[in-house]
mmCIF file of all heavy atoms in Angstrom:
data_model
loop_
_atom_site.group_PDB
_atom_site.id
_atom_site.type_symbol
_atom_site.label_atom_id
_atom_site.label_comp_id
_atom_site.label_asym_id
_atom_site.label_seq_id
_atom_site.Cartn_x
_atom_site.Cartn_y
_atom_site.Cartn_z
ATOM 1 N N SER U 72 -18.583 6.080 -57.595
ATOM 2 C CA SER U 72 -19.825 6.405 -56.881
ATOM 3 C C SER U 72 -20.811 6.906 -57.965
ATOM 4 O O SER U 72 -20.530 8.034 -58.463
ATOM 5 C CB SER U 72 -19.596 7.417 -55.908
ATOM 6 O OG SER U 72 -20.848 7.791 -55.206
ATOM 7 N N PRO U 73 -21.921 6.246 -58.230
ATOM 8 C CA PRO U 73 -22.966 6.675 -59.244
ATOM 9 C C PRO U 73 -23.582 7.962 -58.627
ATOM 10 O O PRO U 73 -24.068 7.985 -57.662
ATOM 11 C CB PRO U 73 -23.849 5.597 -59.296
ATOM 12 C CG PRO U 73 -23.730 4.778 -58.081
ATOM 13 C CD PRO U 73 -22.328 4.836 -57.620
ATOM 14 N N THR U 74 -23.696 8.911 -59.615
ATOM 15 C CA THR U 74 -24.247 10.241 -59.183
ATOM 16 C C THR U 74 -25.272 10.555 -60.147
ATOM 17 O O THR U 74 -25.119 10.485 -61.371
ATOM 18 C CB THR U 74 -23.150 11.396 -59.218
ATOM 19 O OG1 THR U 74 -22.058 10.914 -58.334
ATOM 20 C CG2 THR U 74 -23.722 12.643 -58.666
ATOM 21 N N ILE U 75 -26.465 10.904 -59.734
ATOM 22 C CA ILE U 75 -27.728 11.136 -60.641
ATOM 23 C C ILE U 75 -27.915 12.622 -60.713
ATOM 24 O O ILE U 75 -28.197 13.279 -59.672
ATOM 25 C CB ILE U 75 -28.878 10.349 -60.096
ATOM 26 C CG1 ILE U 75 -28.702 8.814 -60.097
ATOM 27 C CG2 ILE U 75 -30.109 10.706 -61.008
ATOM 28 C CD1 ILE U 75 -29.693 8.121 -59.471
ATOM 29 N N ILE U 76 -27.978 13.208 -61.911
ATOM 30 C CA ILE U 76 -28.427 14.547 -62.164
ATOM 31 C C ILE U 76 -29.832 14.440 -62.766
ATOM 32 O O ILE U 76 -30.041 13.830 -63.828
ATOM 33 C CB ILE U 76 -27.445 15.299 -63.146
ATOM 34 C CG1 ILE U 76 -26.000 15.376 -62.492
ATOM 35 C CG2 ILE U 76 -27.970 16.655 -63.386
ATOM 36 C CD1 ILE U 76 -25.175 14.318 -62.891
ATOM 37 N N VAL U 77 -30.674 15.051 -62.015
ATOM 38 C CA VAL U 77 -32.146 15.011 -62.454
ATOM 39 C C VAL U 77 -32.647 16.401 -62.808
ATOM 40 O O VAL U 77 -32.369 17.436 -62.023
ATOM 41 C CB VAL U 77 -33.015 14.331 -61.419
ATOM 42 C CG1 VAL U 77 -32.979 15.082 -60.111
ATOM 43 C CG2 VAL U 77 -34.450 14.145 -61.930
ATOM 44 N N TYR U 78 -33.298 16.473 -63.898
ATOM 45 C CA TYR U 78 -33.874 17.920 -64.397
ATOM 46 C C TYR U 78 -35.396 17.571 -64.331
ATOM 47 O O TYR U 78 -35.967 16.568 -64.705
ATOM 48 C CB TYR U 78 -33.418 18.182 -65.834
ATOM 49 C CG TYR U 78 -31.900 18.286 -66.060
ATOM 50 C CD1 TYR U 78 -31.249 17.029 -66.373
ATOM 51 C CD2 TYR U 78 -31.300 19.359 -66.110
ATOM 52 C CE1 TYR U 78 -29.918 17.126 -66.513
ATOM 53 C CE2 TYR U 78 -29.952 19.445 -66.337
ATOM 54 C CZ TYR U 78 -29.286 18.347 -66.615
ATOM 55 O OH TYR U 78 -27.974 18.336 -66.864
ATOM 56 N N THR U 79 -36.068 18.664 -64.013
ATOM 57 C CA THR U 79 -37.564 18.627 -63.964
ATOM 58 C C THR U 79 -38.127 20.012 -64.337
ATOM 59 O O THR U 79 -37.627 21.114 -64.057
ATOM 60 C CB THR U 79 -38.057 18.189 -62.622
ATOM 61 O OG1 THR U 79 -39.512 18.052 -62.604
ATOM 62 C CG2 THR U 79 -37.705 19.243 -61.557
ATOM 63 N N ARG U 80 -39.348 19.878 -65.115
ATOM 64 C CA ARG U 80 -40.113 21.109 -65.478
ATOM 65 C C ARG U 80 -41.623 20.685 -65.252
ATOM 66 O O ARG U 80 -42.023 19.655 -65.776
ATOM 67 C CB ARG U 80 -39.860 21.579 -66.896
ATOM 68 C CG ARG U 80 -40.494 22.894 -67.170
ATOM 69 C CD ARG U 80 -40.364 23.232 -68.694
ATOM 70 N NE ARG U 80 -38.973 23.553 -69.051
ATOM 71 C CZ ARG U 80 -38.417 24.791 -68.946
ATOM 72 N NH1 ARG U 80 -39.294 25.825 -68.519
ATOM 73 N NH2 ARG U 80 -37.210 25.157 -69.262
ATOM 74 N N ASP U 81 -42.234 21.418 -64.446
ATOM 75 C CA ASP U 81 -43.653 21.108 -64.073
ATOM 76 C C ASP U 81 -44.584 21.036 -65.334
ATOM 77 O O ASP U 81 -45.422 20.172 -65.285
ATOM 78 C CB ASP U 81 -44.276 22.175 -63.092
ATOM 79 C CG ASP U 81 -43.516 22.156 -61.713
ATOM 80 O OD1 ASP U 81 -42.871 21.122 -61.467
ATOM 81 O OD2 ASP U 81 -43.483 23.122 -60.997
ATOM 82 N N SER U 82 -44.388 21.917 -66.309
ATOM 83 C CA SER U 82 -45.113 21.858 -67.438
ATOM 84 C C SER U 82 -44.758 20.843 -68.509
ATOM 85 O O SER U 82 -45.467 20.735 -69.517
ATOM 86 C CB SER U 82 -45.153 23.240 -68.108
ATOM 87 O OG SER U 82 -43.813 23.664 -68.476
ATOM 88 N N GLY U 83 -43.670 20.182 -68.354
ATOM 89 C CA GLY U 83 -43.217 19.080 -69.192
ATOM 90 C C GLY U 83 -41.851 19.516 -69.803
ATOM 91 O O GLY U 83 -41.663 20.729 -70.141
ATOM 92 N N ILE U 84 -41.133 18.592 -69.964
ATOM 93 C CA ILE U 84 -39.688 18.725 -70.563
ATOM 94 C C ILE U 84 -39.799 19.090 -72.058
ATOM 95 O O ILE U 84 -40.668 18.592 -72.857
ATOM 96 C CB ILE U 84 -38.948 17.443 -70.472
ATOM 97 C CG1 ILE U 84 -38.575 17.111 -69.036
ATOM 98 C CG2 ILE U 84 -37.586 17.572 -71.336
ATOM 99 C CD1 ILE U 84 -37.720 18.142 -68.298
ATOM 100 N N THR U 85 -39.053 20.184 -72.475
ATOM 101 C CA THR U 85 -39.166 20.711 -73.856
ATOM 102 C C THR U 85 -37.993 20.211 -74.590
ATOM 103 O O THR U 85 -37.024 19.679 -74.071
ATOM 104 C CB THR U 85 -39.172 22.220 -73.849
ATOM 105 O OG1 THR U 85 -37.862 22.657 -73.340
ATOM 106 C CG2 THR U 85 -40.282 22.806 -72.936
ATOM 107 N N PRO U 86 -37.922 20.272 -75.961
ATOM 108 C CA PRO U 86 -36.921 19.926 -76.712
ATOM 109 C C PRO U 86 -35.610 20.719 -76.365
ATOM 110 O O PRO U 86 -34.481 20.211 -76.399
ATOM 111 C CB PRO U 86 -37.308 20.199 -78.234
ATOM 112 C CG PRO U 86 -38.724 20.066 -78.208
ATOM 113 C CD PRO U 86 -39.181 20.606 -76.823
ATOM 114 N N ALA U 87 -35.798 21.973 -76.108
ATOM 115 C CA ALA U 87 -34.550 22.759 -75.523
ATOM 116 C C ALA U 87 -34.006 22.140 -74.229
ATOM 117 O O ALA U 87 -32.838 22.179 -74.144
ATOM 118 C CB ALA U 87 -35.026 24.202 -75.324
ATOM 119 N N ASP U 88 -34.887 21.597 -73.436
ATOM 120 C CA ASP U 88 -34.424 21.077 -72.194
ATOM 121 C C ASP U 88 -33.557 19.782 -72.408
ATOM 122 O O ASP U 88 -32.542 19.587 -71.782
ATOM 123 C CB ASP U 88 -35.568 20.679 -71.222
ATOM 124 C CG ASP U 88 -36.372 21.871 -70.790
ATOM 125 O OD1 ASP U 88 -35.759 23.028 -70.713
ATOM 126 O OD2 ASP U 88 -37.492 21.782 -70.420
ATOM 127 N N VAL U 89 -34.053 18.919 -73.431
ATOM 128 C CA VAL U 89 -33.357 17.737 -73.822
ATOM 129 C C VAL U 89 -31.974 18.137 -74.360
ATOM 130 O O VAL U 89 -30.938 17.465 -74.121
ATOM 131 C CB VAL U 89 -34.170 16.957 -74.841
ATOM 132 C CG1 VAL U 89 -33.320 15.756 -75.245
ATOM 133 C CG2 VAL U 89 -35.449 16.589 -74.221
ATOM 134 N N GLN U 90 -31.962 19.191 -75.168
ATOM 135 C CA GLN U 90 -30.739 19.658 -75.807
ATOM 136 C C GLN U 90 -29.742 20.062 -74.753
ATOM 137 O O GLN U 90 -28.564 19.785 -74.817
ATOM 138 C CB GLN U 90 -31.052 20.796 -76.749
ATOM 139 C CG GLN U 90 -29.768 21.283 -77.621
ATOM 140 C CD GLN U 90 -30.187 22.334 -78.648
ATOM 141 O OE1 GLN U 90 -31.328 22.807 -78.715
ATOM 142 N NE2 GLN U 90 -29.153 22.732 -79.377
ATOM 143 N N LYS U 91 -30.170 20.834 -73.743
ATOM 144 C CA LYS U 91 -29.332 21.346 -72.663
ATOM 145 C C LYS U 91 -28.787 20.167 -71.884
ATOM 146 O O LYS U 91 -27.490 20.040 -71.622
ATOM 147 C CB LYS U 91 -30.081 22.243 -71.694
ATOM 148 C CG LYS U 91 -29.212 22.600 -70.456
ATOM 149 C CD LYS U 91 -29.885 23.336 -69.440
ATOM 150 C CE LYS U 91 -29.245 23.272 -68.100
ATOM 151 N NZ LYS U 91 -27.766 23.561 -68.111
ATOM 152 N N ALA U 92 -29.666 19.200 -71.504
ATOM 153 C CA ALA U 92 -29.247 18.126 -70.609
ATOM 154 C C ALA U 92 -28.271 17.261 -71.447
ATOM 155 O O ALA U 92 -27.231 16.679 -70.816
ATOM 156 C CB ALA U 92 -30.436 17.202 -70.358
#
Side-chain angles (χ1 to χ4, degrees):
S72 179
T74 305
I75 299 174
I76 298 90
V77 60
Y78 305 84
T79 181
R80 186 185 289 274
D81 293 339
S82 58
I84 295 296
T85 66
D88 296 336
V89 176
Q90 185 177 4
K91 171 189 164 43

